[in-house]
Amino acid sequence: MLELSGFMLDDLALTFAARMTAAPYALIHRDGNAWRVSAAGAPPEAARSPGPCAQAHLLLRRKGTGFVILRTHLPPSP
């Protein structure tokens, strides 16, 4: 039997994967047509200062037993 810890009923697979990382920062970002989760020891450079062609992303920082949202970026819709 599999027991999940930290899973919430309304949790998306991406946010669940981001919260399960042991790193202080987690970045949910767009990679082509897919979304990916990357863990980092420091905020990724691309998320700190996005340029005119920055990818969509959500940067989270570990705080206590959870995460806080540091930065989000969504490009304008076509």
Side-chain angles (χ1 to χ4, degrees), residues 16-59:
F16 178 75
R19 289 187 302 106
M20 292 298 108
T21 64
Y25 293 91
L27 180 69
I28 298 174
H29 59 96
R30 186 98 188 220
D31 183 14
N33 289 332
W35 288 91
R36 308 274 185 233
V37 175
S38 302
E45 187 63 38
R48 278 186 272 194
S49 57
C53 58
Q55 294 180 340
H57 67 266
L58 171 66
L59 179 63

Side-chain angles (χ1 to χ4, degrees), residues 3-78:
E3 181 179 335
L4 299 175
S5 64
F7 182 75
M8 297 181 294
L9 292 177
D10 294 335
D11 205 1
L12 300 173
L14 283 169
T15 54
F16 178 75
R19 289 187 302 106
M20 292 298 108
T21 64
Y25 293 91
L27 180 69
I28 298 174
H29 59 96
R30 186 98 188 220
D31 183 14
N33 289 332
W35 288 91
R36 308 274 185 233
V37 175
S38 302
E45 187 63 38
R48 278 186 272 194
S49 57
C53 58
Q55 294 180 340
H57 67 266
L58 171 66
L59 179 63
L60 306 165
R61 180 178 57 88
R62 183 167 298 284
K63 185 173 184 177
T65 59
F67 276 96
V68 293
I69 297 172
L70 287 182
R71 179 171 173 67
T72 61
H73 175 73
L74 293 174
S77 57

